[in-house]
Amino acid sequence: RQKAHQEGYIASALSDHPNLVGCIRHWFSDNTNTYFLVMSLCDKGTLVDALQANLRYHPVPGLPVGAYYKHSLEILLGITYMHSKGWLH
C-alpha cells in the first residue's frame, strides 16, 4: 500500500512535463482495499503502435531515422526532467 501511494505521489510530482504521462488523481479505497491511479489519456498510442503502423507503409521494419531521433529525444527529455527532480527511473 505504501509503495502504491509513493508511486502516485511521484507521478503527481512529475505531471507538469510534456514528455511524461500526467497523474490526475490517486487515492486508496479502504472499502475495497484498492489503490486507484488516474493518469492522463495518451490518445496517440504507444511507441510500439508507431512502429507497427510504420510496417504497413514501409517494407523495412522500424521507423525512419528522423523519427528515431525525435522519439529518443522526447524520452531523454522526460528522463532528464525526472533526474532534475531527484527521481530515478
Side-chain angles (χ1 to χ4, degrees):
R1 177 177 174 169
Q2 184 178 353
K3 280 187 134 187
H5 179 72
Q6 183 180 13
E7 187 76 18
Y9 172 77
I10 292 168
S12 291
L14 299 173
S15 288
D16 59 341
H17 195 274
N19 298 108
L20 299 174
V21 178
C23 176
I24 298 168
R25 187 171 173 220
H26 62 99
W27 73 97
F28 185 83
S29 170
D30 289 320
N31 296 337
T32 61
N33 199 33
T34 304
Y35 191 80
F36 294 92
L37 185 64
V38 180
M39 307 294 286
S40 298
L41 175 65
C42 297
D43 59 357
K44 293 184 180 174
T46 66
L47 184 56
V48 171
D49 294 334
L51 290 168
Q52 289 173 343
N54 189 67
L55 283 174
R56 291 186 211 119
Y57 303 106
H58 302 284
V60 179
L63 292 170
V65 173
Y68 278 111
Y69 288 129
K70 178 183 178 294
H71 290 306
S72 296
L73 177 62
E74 290 175 353
I75 292 166
L76 289 172
L77 287 171
I79 292 172
T80 299
Y81 180 74
M82 291 172 63
H83 289 179
S84 77
K85 297 294 185 181
W87 300 105
L88 300 177
H89 185 269

